Amino acid sequence: YFSLYGIFRRKLVDEKGKISSTGALVASTGAGVVGASLSTPLDVIKTRLQAAVPEGVKPYKGWLPTVNRIAAEEGAMALWKGVGPRTIIISPLFGIALMVKETLARWFH
């Protein structure tokens, strides 16, 4: 996320190397979209490992067996379940956080 934010930020700075609040929001939200989307499979795996298992259902054990089981039982695309809502919720949070950070840094520097 932060590496991608740095790349986007460099594209949006002015000639003095400063970024506007809007530019910071755009750069960090864009990086947040990519970061949230690409980390969704890890979140799905984590959730399956942490979730309470109903009686009679075999629990998930270990990350690699969980990936294999999800792919075998539901298809590999099941690792991307919830990517839309996750991205919609997380990316603006990243955007707002770094916009505030950049704005405060500009004010107090």
Side-chain angles (χ1 to χ4, degrees):
Y1 165 76
F2 289 104
S3 297
L4 192 56
Y5 170 69
I7 292 167
F8 291 163
R9 186 185 187 285
R10 282 191 293 277
K11 302 285 185 193
L12 297 171
V13 295
D14 61 18
E15 52 283 337
K16 294 178 185 175
K18 303 286 184 183
I19 189 166
S20 68
S21 295
T22 303
L25 180 64
V26 169
S28 55
T29 301
V33 166
V34 174
S37 300
L38 293 180
S39 65
T40 296
L42 298 173
D43 192 55
V44 169
I45 295 164
K46 174 204 57 106
T47 301
R48 300 289 178 98
L49 289 167
Q50 291 178 338
V53 181
E55 220 174 290
V57 175
K58 182 180 167 188
Y60 291 94
K61 293 189 187 261
W63 72 270
L64 191 54
T66 299
V67 170
N68 292 333
R69 182 172 164 191
I70 292 169
E73 293 178 2
E74 303 172 53
M77 289 306 294
L79 291 166
W80 298 96
K81 281 186 178 178
V83 69
R86 178 178 165 78
T87 302
I88 290 169
I89 291 168
I90 291 176
S91 57
L93 297 176
F94 283 129
I96 292 166
L98 282 179
M99 177 190 69
V100 169
K101 178 254 180 210
E102 292 283 359
T103 301
L104 291 175
R106 198 171 51 252
W107 287 353
F108 293 108
H109 190 255

